[in-house]
Amino acid sequence: LHELNQTMDAEMESQQNHEIAMTNAATTIDANVVQSRILQSSSLAQAAAAEVDSDDEMGTDQPVFAKLNAMAERGGKVEYRRIRCPKHRYTPLRNDWEQILMPLVEFLKLQVRFNTKTRSIEMKTSSHTPDTGALQKGADFCSAYMLGFEVQDAVALLRLDDLYVEAFQVTDVKMLKGDHLSRAVGRVAGHDGKTRFAIENATRCRIVVADTRVNMLGSYANIRIARNAICDLILGAPPGKVYNSMRNVAKRMSERY
């Protein structure tokens, strides 16, 4: 029995020594192996970069397509616009026709004519029209002129993208009739247009007062300031108070720009 116990103890010690050797072999890290793995990963990265460079040299860039003109983008269809001419703008239109026609034809490449039967400006796109929005810009330009703006002011709609035209009736602000309505329009215009010019210079907008209709041309923020001032005048605010507010607005805008 004593010999049997000795043999069993010897076997258990040999098993423990073998397990210790296995654990040491698993946890021991050889510096040469680590260095070889680092070199292998760097070589793989260099090979991948070389493949990318070879793909670039072979000409796998994205294709570049030419810009389509307005007619080709619409599938070869021609678009039309028609702008009616009011009676009171017929004579100014006849006098300024060359100034109106020049930007529409030379810059927007539109085909334009004036229909004397319907008294309206008709325009359409052609194969020479470069931009799809050219027709809408031309229609906005003609519409602004029909509302009473000068050609030099309306041309800004063709050059800038952040300009808008807004119009409203004096009676939309307050229901006025008779002499009350006339006095409200007089307060908006001012003596010899002084009030209107003050609002225009302060807000950098263009304002046209046609009977009881007020038309404004400018950027969104400037139109909002001018509309608030005009609404105050319609509601009965004295012009001196509006002058002071416009002076403050002009000061803020000069500091901003």
Side-chain angles (χ1 to χ4, degrees):
L1 291 173
H2 182 68
E3 293 178 356
L4 182 62
N5 291 332
Q6 288 181 352
T7 54
M8 290 180 65
D9 292 339
E11 289 179 358
M12 290 179 64
E13 288 179 359
S14 63
Q15 288 181 359
Q16 289 178 359
N17 293 331
H18 181 68
E19 289 178 357
I20 293 171
M22 291 288 290
T23 54
N24 291 333
T27 55
T28 303
I29 299 174
D30 191 0
N32 296 325
V33 174
V34 174
Q35 186 69 21
S36 63
R37 289 179 180 177
I38 292 173
L39 294 175
Q40 185 180 4
S41 62
S42 62
S43 62
L44 292 174
Q46 291 177 359
E51 290 180 358
V52 173
D53 294 338
S54 63
D55 293 339
D56 294 338
E57 292 176 357
M58 292 175 62
T60 58
D61 295 335
Q62 295 182 355
V64 178
F65 299 101
K67 184 179 179 180
L68 295 177
N69 55 19
M71 200 170 196
E73 191 168 348
R74 293 294 180 180
K77 296 181 180 179
V78 179
E79 290 188 334
Y80 294 89
R81 290 289 189 278
R82 178 180 294 174
I83 297 93
R84 290 287 190 134
C85 178
K87 293 182 179 180
H88 67 281
R89 297 297 290 174
Y90 186 71
T91 301
L93 177 65
R94 186 169 55 189
N95 297 333
D96 299 334
W97 177 247
E98 293 183 359
Q99 301 179 17
I100 295 172
L101 199 64
M102 187 267 294
L104 294 176
V105 176
E106 293 187 4
F107 295 102
L108 299 181
K109 307 297 182 183
L110 299 174
Q111 295 182 1
V112 186
R113 73 173 183 180
F114 183 77
N115 194 336
T116 56
K117 292 183 179 180
T118 58
R119 286 199 172 187
S120 59
I121 299 176
E122 297 176 353
M123 59 183 70
K124 69 175 183 178
T125 58
S126 65
S127 58
H128 303 286
T129 305
D131 189 11
T132 55
L135 187 63
Q136 187 60 43
K137 285 184 178 180
D140 294 340
F141 165 65
C142 294
S143 300
Y145 181 80
M146 297 306 175
L147 291 175
F149 295 100
E150 296 291 335
V151 180
Q152 294 81 5
D153 298 332
V155 167
L157 289 169
L158 305 179
R159 299 176 179 175
L160 303 175
D161 294 333
D162 59 344
L163 293 184
Y164 305 93
V165 176
E166 184 175 344
F168 64 92
Q169 295 284 343
V170 175
T171 54
D172 294 340
V173 181
K174 187 177 182 181
M175 291 299 298
L176 300 172
K177 295 180 180 179
D179 294 339
H180 298 286
L181 181 59
S182 302
R183 284 194 290 270
V185 174
R187 285 195 299 271
V188 173
H191 182 66
D192 293 333
K194 182 180 178 181
T195 306
R196 181 173 67 89
F197 291 146
I199 298 175
E200 284 183 349
N201 296 330
T203 60
R204 299 178 184 179
C205 292
R206 289 294 176 265
I207 301 172
V208 173
V209 181
D211 196 14
T212 60
R213 185 184 179 91
V214 180
N215 304 315
M216 294 177 291
L217 170 65
S219 63
Y220 178 79
N222 295 344
I223 286 177
R224 180 171 57 84
I225 297 171
R227 183 177 64 243
N228 293 337
I230 293 173
C231 291
D232 291 340
L233 290 170
I234 293 173
L235 293 174
K241 185 177 180 180
V242 177
Y243 288 157
N244 292 332
S245 62
M246 288 298 101
R247 192 178 298 111
N248 296 331
V249 168
K251 184 178 179 181
R252 287 199 302 268
M253 294 186 71
S254 63
E255 292 176 353
R256 182 186 306 173
Y257 297 103

